[in-house]
Amino acid sequence: MDDKEAPRSGKRFLARRGVGLAISGALIAALFGIFLNIDQMTGEGWKSPMLVGVLLGLIMLVFGVYRLVKGNSSLDYPQGGTNNEPEN
């Protein structure tokens, strides 16, 4: 495989957009999943409010992976935030 066929991004993996969101989402989902498992042992089952934390963590994980794969948006401003100035 030639290097010219697959251009690589110059950014490190942890500096890309979405990596922090995906990692923190996975950690939150895992943490609340452990709590949910402990609640099921006590008889609470799936009615536990810990399920909300698992779902929010999974949403963060999915959105982080989406941003990692898709890359920068047209709304991303290089210095941070969004650029909502009208174009002339």
Side-chain angles (χ1 to χ4, degrees):
M1 185 171 172
D2 193 12
D3 287 335
K4 294 179 184 177
E5 292 177 12
R8 301 188 78 179
S9 175
K11 285 187 174 182
R12 294 179 312 161
F13 180 74
L14 293 177
R16 294 181 184 169
R17 289 194 185 273
V19 172
L21 190 61
I23 291 172
S24 61
L27 290 175
I28 289 172
L31 179 69
F32 279 101
I34 291 170
F35 290 150
L36 184 64
N37 191 22
I38 292 171
D39 272 353
Q40 284 184 351
M41 289 181 198
T42 61
E44 183 76 22
W46 289 101
K47 297 181 284 187
S48 174
M50 297 295 168
L51 187 60
V52 174
V54 172
L55 293 176
L56 287 176
L58 289 176
I59 290 170
M60 288 173 59
L61 174 66
V62 168
F63 187 65
V65 169
Y66 170 75
R67 286 301 305 257
L68 179 64
V69 170
K70 183 166 181 327
N72 290 339
S73 169
S74 62
L75 297 176
D76 289 334
Y77 194 60
Q79 281 78 27
T82 57
N83 182 7
N84 56 4
E85 296 290 326
E87 292 185 24
N88 294 331

